[in-house]
Amino acid sequence: GFLTREERARLEGLRSPYNKFWVPCAWFGALAGQARREGRELNRFRAHCSLLFHYDWVSVPLVYTQVVTIAVYTFFLTCLIGRQFLDPAQGY
């Protein structure tokens, strides 16, 4: 509900080698300047846009990345050892 279909198409069509989190901020700045020139009230719009910034503040705790790393390494080692087909007749 934050973007119109046209804005979403423009955001998805933007080619950038970096993260595009700054684009809504730039759009908000342009809209805020236009609204100020027209004498509009910005409090409600500002309250809704502040929700966008709250999503970026919540970071993934380090323990989750460590658990995923250990799980992937364990799975890889288990597959490496468990998928070896040895011939019992050769007396390993």
Side-chain angles (χ1 to χ4, degrees):
F2 288 108
L3 296 174
T4 63
R5 291 181 187 200
E6 294 82 17
E7 289 172 337
R8 182 175 178 184
R10 288 178 64 189
L11 180 62
E12 290 174 352
L14 180 67
R15 301 286 180 231
S16 176
Y18 306 107
N19 195 348
K20 294 186 262 186
F21 72 92
W22 55 270
V23 174
C25 296
W27 286 349
F28 173 74
L31 286 175
Q34 179 182 356
R36 183 167 296 213
R37 286 189 298 273
E38 295 174 1
R40 293 188 195 171
E41 182 69 28
L42 294 175
N43 288 334
R44 194 178 110 192
F45 186 66
R46 188 184 99 192
H48 287 281
C49 287
S50 69
L51 291 175
L52 291 174
F53 294 112
H54 291 286
Y55 289 119
D56 190 38
W57 291 344
V58 178
S59 62
V60 177
L62 183 60
V63 71
Y64 292 149
T65 57
Q66 291 172 344
V67 167
V68 169
T69 302
I70 291 171
V72 169
Y73 286 165
T74 304
F75 177 76
F76 175 72
L77 290 175
T78 304
C79 289
L80 185 67
I81 294 170
R83 294 184 182 182
Q84 292 182 10
F85 299 106
L86 301 176
D87 187 11
Q90 296 206 7
Y92 294 115

